[in-house]
Amino acid sequence: MIPAKFAYARADSVDEAVALLAEHGDDAKLLAGGHSLLPLMKLRLATPAVLVDVGNLHDLSYIRDGGDHVAIGGLTRHHDVEHSDLLAEHVPLLREAAGHVGDPQVRHRGTLGGSLAHGDPASDLPAVVLALGGTIVARGPSGERTIAAGDFFQGFLETALAPDEVLTEVRVRKTNGDGWAFEKFNRRAQDWAIVGVAAVTGDDPGVALVNMGSTPVRATAVEERVRGGASAADAADAADEGTDPPSDLNASPEFRRHLARVLTRRALERATGGTAS
């Protein structure tokens, strides 16, 4: 299908992008990699009147050591996340999960910030950032603010970003010495996850689920059991607590609940040095 008519503007700075968003309000959408927005436009599920292209804002593409965290620019491509030596050393979970996103074409064009701003519960990286207790940095007309990942995802394809804000940075804590694992079940390598699990163990465990609700879901019951010393199997039994998995052509809610428990057990076994089966 062909998208509805729209105007096009290219921003040469974050401030210009913010100004364009403020000028056009809800009628404007940011265009970065375009892998989420353009398919919706072709189906006319999204009909922005103005596209603000931020693809040339190269100063938002970086991966930097922030001391107790790693800072990643909002326009950093999945490919760069996947191949980052800094992330391999300090946040290997995020690096690993980036390699599972789509296919090479998607990873060379799609951006971390775009994936988070889109807020798709079937997307891998929002759940990873949630499991890591990440922070999102946004800039708008009133300046810069930070949003905890737990507060960022608010509904299906809805986030805490205001219509006139640009997601400029993602911060994730270093997990040096902690166990970690990413598990994903899908029919083909490039497909969306039917269910996925991101897990970090250690003193501050984090477990988050892909495609188990209208947003990425933090498996707090699992985390509590891990803190209490439960085995991987016992902790994973609580994986589907508080979830509302969708029903579609790929799986029923019941099957997704089963997958969540199985994949969480596998992830925790891998993260703690056990043998997943």
Side-chain angles (χ1 to χ4, degrees):
M1 294 181 66
I2 300 174
K5 290 183 178 181
F6 59 88
Y8 172 86
R10 175 176 290 177
D12 293 320
S13 68
V14 175
D15 289 341
E16 184 178 1
V18 169
L20 287 166
L21 292 176
E23 177 184 352
H24 296 287
D26 290 337
D27 291 331
K29 292 291 184 182
L30 291 177
L31 175 66
H35 286 287
S36 299
L37 177 60
L38 293 182
L40 292 178
M41 291 177 62
K42 288 180 179 180
L43 294 171
R44 301 209 176 189
L45 297 174
T47 55
V50 181
L51 284 186
V52 179
D53 188 345
V54 293
N56 281 342
L57 303 187
H58 302 299
D59 56 337
L60 292 186
S61 178
Y62 58 81
I63 302 173
R64 298 171 182 162
D65 193 325
D68 62 349
H69 68 276
V70 175
I72 306 155
L75 290 184
T76 306
R77 310 288 182 186
H78 302 317
H79 175 270
D80 296 327
V81 175
E82 178 188 4
H83 294 280
S84 166
D85 291 336
L86 184 63
L87 289 173
E89 180 181 0
H90 296 297
V91 199
L93 171 60
L94 181 56
R95 183 181 188 267
E96 169 75 12
H100 290 266
V101 174
D103 54 28
Q105 288 179 314
V106 170
R107 294 195 292 274
H108 275 84
R109 291 297 302 166
T111 64
L112 176 60
S115 179
L116 298 184
H118 187 52
D120 193 328
S123 184
D124 301 328
L125 299 184
V128 174
V129 173
L130 187 60
L132 290 166
T135 300
I136 288 86
V137 182
R139 192 186 306 174
S142 300
E144 189 173 271
R145 69 182 179 118
T146 57
I147 310 163
D151 299 324
F152 186 73
F153 305 105
Q154 299 187 334
F156 183 68
L157 304 185
E158 294 181 359
T159 71
L161 275 180
D164 55 2
E165 287 184 318
V166 177
L167 192 160
T168 57
E169 187 174 275
V170 180
R171 298 169 184 168
V172 289
R173 63 183 175 90
K174 293 181 178 179
T175 57
N176 303 62
D178 293 339
W180 60 273
F182 181 74
E183 292 282 343
K184 177 179 179 178
F185 184 86
N186 51 11
R187 297 190 178 193
R188 298 176 301 173
Q190 68 268 32
D191 283 349
W192 299 101
I194 295 177
V195 173
V197 178
V200 181
T201 56
D203 294 335
D204 187 16
V207 181
L209 307 174
V210 180
N211 217 0
M212 285 294 291
S214 60
T215 67
V217 177
R218 186 125 187 200
T220 55
V222 175
E223 295 171 355
E224 290 173 3
R225 293 191 183 191
V226 171
R227 289 189 190 95
S231 67
D234 288 343
D237 279 343
D240 64 322
E241 286 188 14
T243 64
D244 184 20
S247 177
D248 55 32
L249 293 176
N250 290 313
S252 66
E254 294 75 19
F255 184 52
R256 281 193 162 92
R257 290 183 183 277
H258 169 73
L259 281 177
R261 294 190 294 269
V262 171
L263 295 179
T264 299
R265 175 179 56 79
R266 291 178 181 176
L268 292 175
E269 287 175 347
R270 284 182 54 204
T272 56
T275 301
S277 60

